[in-house]
Amino acid sequence: MKPVNEMMKQVLLGGAAVIVAMVLCGAPFSFAQESVAVRATLVTGGLPLDDPNAAAWSSVAPASFPMSPQVHWPNRIQEVTVKDVSVRALHDGKQVVFLLEYADPTQDPDDGAALEFMVGDKKAHFAHGQPMLQVEGGPVNIWFWKNKTNKAVDMSAKGFGTLKQQVHQDVNAKGTYSNGKWKIVFSRNLSNEHPDEDVQITPGQFINIAFAVWDGRKDAAGELVEKGSQKAVSSWWYFRADAPPDYSSYMYAAVAVALALGFQFVLIRKLKKGQ
Amino acid sequence: MGALGKPIILMVAMYLFLKFVLPNIPGSAPLPSSLIFLYLLLTASGIVIYETLSGESKDAFWGPMQRFLTGKNSGGLQVLRYGVLILFPLLVGWETYGSTASSDLPPTEGRTIHPAPPGEYTGLSNPVPKTPENIMQGKGFYAAFCSPCHGGNFDGKGPAARGFNPPPANFADPTTIAMLQESYLFWRIKKGGVGLPIEGAPWRSAMPRWEVELPDEWIWKIIMGEYDGAHQSPRTWE
């Protein structure tokens, strides 16, 4: 049997070696990995505007976002069905299309889902752009889909009780349900004539996006469990439509290499002459 | 290489210290690369000043570099010389590409976790007597209103917490309520996320504005229950 301090020494040495190896390899100490942004890949040709099952979607990597029950303001809810949403997006320079997917054990007429965006330059609170006490916030644009109509409603809000359907309806949506999973596509033009109400998407720029889901199940008394503010919500995350490829950085790098070579040539020539 | 050996070792040691040792000292954090670069630049300037103080040391310092660059008497170092002459322009090109190419990362939004409270919320003391009954009542209110996010164990891991970014505060962590005064918690609970100043990124916080739902006395009791439950004490001015 080894003496205790000899064993301690070995344990400490082993631990130190592991830490040194991790530090040298740049290994992160936390292994949790979650998405922070949805990226709309630029494609040429047709977008799957009303087809949640199109083959084009399989070429896009999904981003996954955790959901919470809405506990920020009354009426609250303590538990919701949907725990995560998976989001993909594509654009063709004119239109953008999102695919929102989530697990829901039952298909109900009152199932619903929404995308939310900040509008304009001012930050907006993720809870319907409710007023902030020390910061002047902006409005939010909400794309709301419901199973009953299988259509989108284009909405605006700036604070609780201000949610309203817009006069101009610019968003399309279609959902399909199979194998315990909803797949919903939302589409719209990247930009339009209503910048005060609608999010304007400029390729290459990050904007804020959030998600909400209502499971339309009913309790034993026949009442809807998730309705109105009682829903699953996410925080703000990021969305970006990819910009067309830009090769100017390669040109700048080539110029820099040429300048560095020229500098070396002049320096060495000068040194040789000096000697 | 004699006169150059020490400066090279010093620069490498400085880099390793800044990159790997300093961030692991408790209370420290990883240094941004721009700061590491600045420190290395200062170190290099110090070395150059030190090595060129006298004519003799100046020759000893620059001489080997000049001979290396011009290839005079470099002997076995010829391969290294070509390596440096090829790698330097490539490095400059790589840096230029890196600084001009568009980033795939979202913009970083600095968020101050504990911004300064408004004047009226500094130095308030808890008006509720610290009795076992009041603490117990505070814990009851905490369980009803706060635990869904901040957790039954006061660890920020309540069942409703997973979707929120920033995550709900972990009161058992010594860097949260243990370093704040009770009056600060009173402000945060009363005004919630939307009451944060701009540097607190109020548009992200899911913390409710409890002043519209709970009387002040309940809030003071919740504060008492939080400290007791998380086994922490409020910060006080000695």
Side-chain angles (χ1 to χ4, degrees):
Chain A
M1 201 176 145
K2 287 180 182 176
V4 174
N5 52 2
E6 186 65 22
M7 280 176 68
M8 277 299 288
K9 207 170 157 185
Q10 282 189 358
V11 169
L12 285 175
L13 272 175
V18 168
I19 291 168
V20 167
M22 283 178 82
V23 166
L24 287 179
C25 298
F29 283 91
S30 113
F31 298 96
Q33 183 66 51
E34 61 182 18
S35 306
V36 293
V38 183
R39 237 179 93 174
T41 311
L42 177 61
V43 291
T44 48
L47 290 173
L49 295 175
D50 56 1
D51 186 1
N53 296 304
W57 290 116
S58 57
S59 65
V60 188
S64 177
F65 301 98
M67 304 293 281
S68 273
Q70 192 292 110
V71 291
H72 180 65
W73 78 97
N75 295 323
R76 299 188 171 85
I77 186 166
Q78 299 294 335
E79 206 182 334
V80 285
T81 304
V82 175
K83 304 287 190 282
D84 295 278
V85 293
S86 167
V87 191
R88 300 172 211 234
L90 291 164
H91 82 101
D92 63 1
K94 284 182 181 162
Q95 286 181 297
V96 62
V97 55
F98 290 88
L99 172 64
L100 181 74
E101 296 173 82
Y102 57 87
D104 179 351
T106 55
Q107 182 186 5
D108 309 291
D110 289 292
D111 283 344
L115 308 184
E116 180 187 51
F117 302 89
M118 286 188 197
V119 177
D121 295 332
K122 285 185 183 138
K123 297 286 185 187
H125 194 275
F126 77 88
H128 282 201
Q130 67 153 311
M132 295 173 275
L133 304 179
Q134 300 189 45
V135 182
E136 196 198 340
V140 292
N141 180 200
I142 294 169
W143 302 359
F144 175 52
W145 163 88
K146 48 186 175 180
N147 186 25
K148 256 182 196 155
T149 55
N150 203 11
K151 277 184 180 170
V153 186
D154 194 3
M155 305 178 96
S156 290
K158 195 178 174 184
F160 304 135
T162 65
L163 184 67
K164 66 174 194 302
Q165 196 168 325
Q166 293 182 9
V167 176
H168 309 277
Q169 291 294 309
D170 308 301
V171 183
N172 290 309
K174 186 182 174 185
T176 60
Y177 183 85
S178 70
N179 299 325
K181 198 174 183 183
W182 270 115
K183 288 185 175 187
I184 305 141
V185 283
F186 294 84
S187 61
R188 208 203 71 182
N189 284 346
L190 288 171
S191 55
N192 63 23
E193 305 295 312
H194 322 115
D196 296 335
E197 292 177 323
D198 287 333
V199 61
Q200 304 298 311
I201 300 165
T202 308
Q205 283 183 8
F206 282 97
I207 57 174
N208 288 101
I209 187 170
F211 311 96
V213 175
W214 294 258
D215 173 13
R217 75 197 153 98
K218 290 180 175 168
D219 61 15
E223 293 290 319
L224 280 174
V225 178
E226 298 183 21
K227 59 183 186 296
S229 64
Q230 293 168 309
K231 58 186 171 180
V233 294
S234 82
S235 292
W236 283 126
W237 298 100
Y238 286 101
F239 166 69
R240 187 182 73 167
D242 281 354
D246 174 10
Y247 301 109
S248 59
S249 294
Y250 294 106
M251 193 190 72
Y252 296 140
V255 171
V257 169
L259 283 172
L261 278 170
F263 169 74
Q264 278 184 177
F265 179 74
V266 171
L267 180 76
I268 291 170
R269 226 180 119 177
K270 189 109 180 150
L271 285 173
K272 276 187 173 167
K273 270 189 182 171
Q275 281 167 2
Chain B
M1 283 298 281
L4 279 182
K6 270 189 207 166
I8 289 170
I9 291 169
L10 193 62
M11 289 293 286
V12 171
M14 188 67 181
Y15 174 77
L16 293 174
F17 174 76
L18 294 170
K19 183 82 183 171
F20 301 116
V21 180
L22 201 63
N24 290 314
I25 293 172
S28 184
L31 269 63
S33 54
S34 55
L35 193 61
I36 292 180
F37 179 72
L38 185 72
Y39 285 153
L40 288 179
L41 205 65
L42 286 172
T43 311
S45 312
I47 290 170
V48 170
I49 291 169
Y50 177 78
E51 295 289 354
T52 53
L53 279 176
S54 71
E56 206 175 301
S57 66
K58 194 175 150 190
D59 287 344
F61 182 70
W62 291 119
M65 277 195 245
Q66 288 188 10
R67 286 195 292 279
F68 177 74
L69 284 174
T70 52
K72 197 182 171 195
N73 304 329
S74 53
L77 292 176
Q78 199 62 259
V79 178
L80 186 65
R81 175 174 176 261
Y82 285 127
V84 168
L85 294 181
I86 292 167
L87 279 178
F88 173 70
L90 289 179
L91 190 70
V92 171
W94 174 253
E95 282 294 318
T96 308
Y97 174 79
S99 59
T100 55
S102 66
S103 167
D104 265 352
L105 298 173
T108 48
E109 281 179 7
R111 182 177 75 92
T112 304
I113 297 172
H114 296 139
E120 63 266 36
Y121 290 99
T122 48
L124 299 176
S125 51
N126 197 328
V128 178
K130 198 177 174 183
T131 62
E133 293 77 33
N134 285 338
I135 292 173
M136 190 58 79
Q137 212 180 355
K139 282 184 179 171
F141 292 144
Y142 174 89
F145 303 113
C146 319
S147 73
C149 292
H150 293 282
N153 295 325
F154 303 85
D155 56 3
K157 291 181 181 157
R162 69 190 306 274
F164 293 128
N165 174 37
N170 168 4
F171 301 136
D173 180 336
T175 65
T176 61
I177 56 172
M179 51 188 278
L180 299 168
Q181 292 182 287
E182 282 181 286
S183 56
Y184 193 95
L185 271 70
F186 185 64
W187 169 54
R188 297 300 321 113
I189 298 171
K190 242 176 114 77
K191 299 291 178 189
V194 292
L196 287 164
I198 193 161
E199 66 270 24
W203 50 89
R204 290 186 173 278
S205 173
M207 177 75 183
R209 186 179 168 188
W210 285 112
E211 68 177 350
V212 295
E213 295 176 68
L214 305 181
D216 284 0
E217 189 196 331
W218 289 23
I219 294 176
W220 285 117
K221 284 181 178 169
I222 286 170
I223 293 169
M224 227 176 247
E226 267 173 22
Y227 277 108
D228 192 82
H231 307 293
Q232 305 286 353
S233 302
R235 184 175 183 176
T236 51
W237 301 111
E238 313 298 336

Short mmCIF file of all heavy atoms in Angstrom, two decimals, chain B residues 2-26:
data_model
loop_
_atom_site.label_atom_id
_atom_site.label_comp_id
_atom_site.label_asym_id
_atom_site.label_seq_id
_atom_site.Cartn_x
_atom_site.Cartn_y
_atom_site.Cartn_z
N GLY B 2 23.38 34.89 -29.08
CA GLY B 2 23.51 35.07 -27.64
C GLY B 2 22.73 36.24 -27.10
O GLY B 2 21.91 36.08 -26.19
N ALA B 3 22.92 37.44 -27.73
CA ALA B 3 22.25 38.64 -27.22
C ALA B 3 20.75 38.61 -27.49
O ALA B 3 19.98 39.33 -26.88
CB ALA B 3 22.87 39.87 -27.87
N LEU B 4 20.32 37.76 -28.45
CA LEU B 4 18.90 37.73 -28.79
C LEU B 4 18.13 36.67 -28.02
O LEU B 4 16.91 36.73 -27.91
CB LEU B 4 18.75 37.44 -30.30
CG LEU B 4 18.92 38.62 -31.22
CD1 LEU B 4 18.70 38.17 -32.66
CD2 LEU B 4 17.96 39.74 -30.88
N GLY B 5 18.86 35.70 -27.50
CA GLY B 5 18.22 34.58 -26.79
C GLY B 5 17.33 35.04 -25.66
O GLY B 5 16.15 34.68 -25.60
N LYS B 6 17.91 35.88 -24.79
CA LYS B 6 17.16 36.33 -23.60
C LYS B 6 15.89 37.09 -23.98
O LYS B 6 14.81 36.80 -23.44
CB LYS B 6 18.06 37.20 -22.73
CG LYS B 6 18.85 36.40 -21.70
CD LYS B 6 19.53 37.37 -20.76
CE LYS B 6 20.78 36.72 -20.18
NZ LYS B 6 21.65 37.71 -19.54
N PRO B 7 15.98 38.11 -24.89
CA PRO B 7 14.74 38.82 -25.26
C PRO B 7 13.67 37.88 -25.82
O PRO B 7 12.49 38.04 -25.52
CB PRO B 7 15.19 39.82 -26.33
CG PRO B 7 16.63 40.02 -26.06
CD PRO B 7 17.15 38.73 -25.51
N ILE B 8 14.09 36.91 -26.65
CA ILE B 8 13.10 35.99 -27.24
C ILE B 8 12.43 35.18 -26.14
O ILE B 8 11.20 35.06 -26.09
CB ILE B 8 13.77 35.07 -28.29
CG1 ILE B 8 14.14 35.90 -29.53
CG2 ILE B 8 12.82 33.93 -28.69
CD1 ILE B 8 15.00 35.18 -30.54
N ILE B 9 13.24 34.66 -25.21
CA ILE B 9 12.68 33.87 -24.10
C ILE B 9 11.72 34.74 -23.28
O ILE B 9 10.63 34.32 -22.91
CB ILE B 9 13.82 33.29 -23.22
CG1 ILE B 9 14.57 32.23 -24.00
CG2 ILE B 9 13.26 32.71 -21.92
CD1 ILE B 9 15.86 31.78 -23.35
N LEU B 10 12.14 36.00 -23.05
CA LEU B 10 11.31 36.92 -22.25
C LEU B 10 9.96 37.18 -22.91
O LEU B 10 8.90 37.16 -22.26
CB LEU B 10 12.06 38.23 -22.05
CG LEU B 10 11.50 39.18 -21.00
CD1 LEU B 10 11.54 38.54 -19.63
CD2 LEU B 10 12.28 40.50 -20.98
N MET B 11 9.99 37.39 -24.24
CA MET B 11 8.74 37.66 -24.97
C MET B 11 7.81 36.44 -24.92
O MET B 11 6.60 36.58 -24.70
CB MET B 11 9.04 38.02 -26.44
CG MET B 11 9.69 39.36 -26.66
SD MET B 11 8.61 40.75 -26.24
CE MET B 11 7.47 40.74 -27.60
N VAL B 12 8.38 35.26 -25.15
CA VAL B 12 7.57 34.03 -25.14
C VAL B 12 6.98 33.83 -23.74
O VAL B 12 5.78 33.52 -23.59
CB VAL B 12 8.42 32.80 -25.57
CG1 VAL B 12 7.64 31.51 -25.34
CG2 VAL B 12 8.80 32.93 -27.04
N ALA B 13 7.83 34.02 -22.70
CA ALA B 13 7.36 33.82 -21.32
C ALA B 13 6.25 34.80 -21.00
O ALA B 13 5.24 34.44 -20.37
CB ALA B 13 8.52 34.00 -20.36
N MET B 14 6.41 36.06 -21.46
CA MET B 14 5.39 37.08 -21.21
C MET B 14 4.07 36.69 -21.87
O MET B 14 2.99 36.80 -21.27
CB MET B 14 5.89 38.43 -21.78
CG MET B 14 5.05 39.61 -21.43
SD MET B 14 5.13 39.96 -19.67
CE MET B 14 4.04 41.35 -19.56
N TYR B 15 4.15 36.21 -23.11
CA TYR B 15 2.95 35.81 -23.85
C TYR B 15 2.24 34.66 -23.12
O TYR B 15 1.02 34.70 -22.90
CB TYR B 15 3.30 35.39 -25.28
CG TYR B 15 2.10 34.83 -26.01
CD1 TYR B 15 1.12 35.68 -26.53
CD2 TYR B 15 1.92 33.46 -26.18
CE1 TYR B 15 0.00 35.18 -27.19
CE2 TYR B 15 0.80 32.94 -26.83
CZ TYR B 15 -0.14 33.81 -27.33
OH TYR B 15 -1.25 33.30 -27.96
N LEU B 16 3.01 33.64 -22.72
CA LEU B 16 2.42 32.48 -22.05
C LEU B 16 1.77 32.90 -20.73
O LEU B 16 0.68 32.43 -20.39
CB LEU B 16 3.47 31.40 -21.79
CG LEU B 16 4.02 30.72 -23.05
CD1 LEU B 16 5.15 29.77 -22.70
CD2 LEU B 16 2.91 29.98 -23.79
N PHE B 17 2.42 33.83 -20.03
CA PHE B 17 1.87 34.32 -18.76
C PHE B 17 0.53 35.03 -18.98
O PHE B 17 -0.47 34.75 -18.32
CB PHE B 17 2.87 35.26 -18.09
CG PHE B 17 2.34 35.92 -16.85
CD1 PHE B 17 2.24 35.21 -15.66
CD2 PHE B 17 1.91 37.24 -16.87
CE1 PHE B 17 1.73 35.81 -14.52
CE2 PHE B 17 1.40 37.85 -15.73
CZ PHE B 17 1.31 37.12 -14.55
N LEU B 18 0.50 35.94 -19.98
CA LEU B 18 -0.72 36.72 -20.23
C LEU B 18 -1.85 35.85 -20.75
O LEU B 18 -3.01 36.04 -20.41
CB LEU B 18 -0.43 37.83 -21.25
CG LEU B 18 0.53 38.94 -20.81
CD1 LEU B 18 0.89 39.82 -21.99
CD2 LEU B 18 -0.09 39.78 -19.70
N LYS B 19 -1.48 34.87 -21.57
CA LYS B 19 -2.50 34.06 -22.24
C LYS B 19 -3.05 32.97 -21.32
O LYS B 19 -4.25 32.71 -21.30
CB LYS B 19 -1.89 33.46 -23.51
CG LYS B 19 -2.86 32.65 -24.36
CD LYS B 19 -3.70 33.55 -25.24
CE LYS B 19 -4.72 32.75 -26.03
NZ LYS B 19 -5.67 33.59 -26.72
N PHE B 20 -2.16 32.29 -20.60
CA PHE B 20 -2.61 31.09 -19.89
C PHE B 20 -2.58 31.19 -18.36
O PHE B 20 -3.35 30.52 -17.69
CB PHE B 20 -1.76 29.88 -20.31
CG PHE B 20 -1.85 29.60 -21.79
CD1 PHE B 20 -0.73 29.72 -22.60
CD2 PHE B 20 -3.05 29.24 -22.37
CE1 PHE B 20 -0.81 29.47 -23.96
CE2 PHE B 20 -3.14 29.00 -23.72
CZ PHE B 20 -2.02 29.12 -24.53
N VAL B 21 -1.66 31.98 -17.81
CA VAL B 21 -1.54 32.00 -16.35
C VAL B 21 -2.48 33.05 -15.75
O VAL B 21 -3.29 32.74 -14.88
CB VAL B 21 -0.08 32.27 -15.91
CG1 VAL B 21 0.02 32.29 -14.38
CG2 VAL B 21 0.84 31.21 -16.50
N LEU B 22 -2.41 34.28 -16.26
CA LEU B 22 -3.20 35.38 -15.69
C LEU B 22 -4.71 35.10 -15.65
O LEU B 22 -5.34 35.32 -14.62
CB LEU B 22 -2.91 36.67 -16.47
CG LEU B 22 -3.24 37.97 -15.74
CD1 LEU B 22 -2.39 38.14 -14.50
CD2 LEU B 22 -3.04 39.17 -16.67
N PRO B 23 -5.31 34.55 -16.76
CA PRO B 23 -6.76 34.31 -16.70
C PRO B 23 -7.17 33.28 -15.65
O PRO B 23 -8.32 33.24 -15.24
CB PRO B 23 -7.10 33.79 -18.09
CG PRO B 23 -5.98 34.21 -18.95
CD PRO B 23 -4.76 34.24 -18.07
N ASN B 24 -6.22 32.43 -15.23
CA ASN B 24 -6.57 31.38 -14.28
C ASN B 24 -6.36 31.78 -12.82
O ASN B 24 -6.62 30.98 -11.92
CB ASN B 24 -5.78 30.10 -14.58
CG ASN B 24 -6.27 29.47 -15.87
OD1 ASN B 24 -7.47 29.35 -16.09
ND2 ASN B 24 -5.35 29.12 -16.75
N ILE B 25 -5.87 33.01 -12.62
CA ILE B 25 -5.76 33.51 -11.25
C ILE B 25 -7.17 33.86 -10.78
O ILE B 25 -7.92 34.53 -11.50
CB ILE B 25 -4.83 34.75 -11.19
CG1 ILE B 25 -3.40 34.32 -11.53
CG2 ILE B 25 -4.88 35.41 -9.81
CD1 ILE B 25 -2.43 35.48 -11.69
N PRO B 26 -7.59 33.37 -9.60
CA PRO B 26 -8.96 33.64 -9.14
C PRO B 26 -9.28 35.14 -9.16
O PRO B 26 -8.47 35.97 -8.76
CB PRO B 26 -8.97 33.11 -7.70
CG PRO B 26 -7.89 32.08 -7.69
CD PRO B 26 -6.84 32.55 -8.64
#
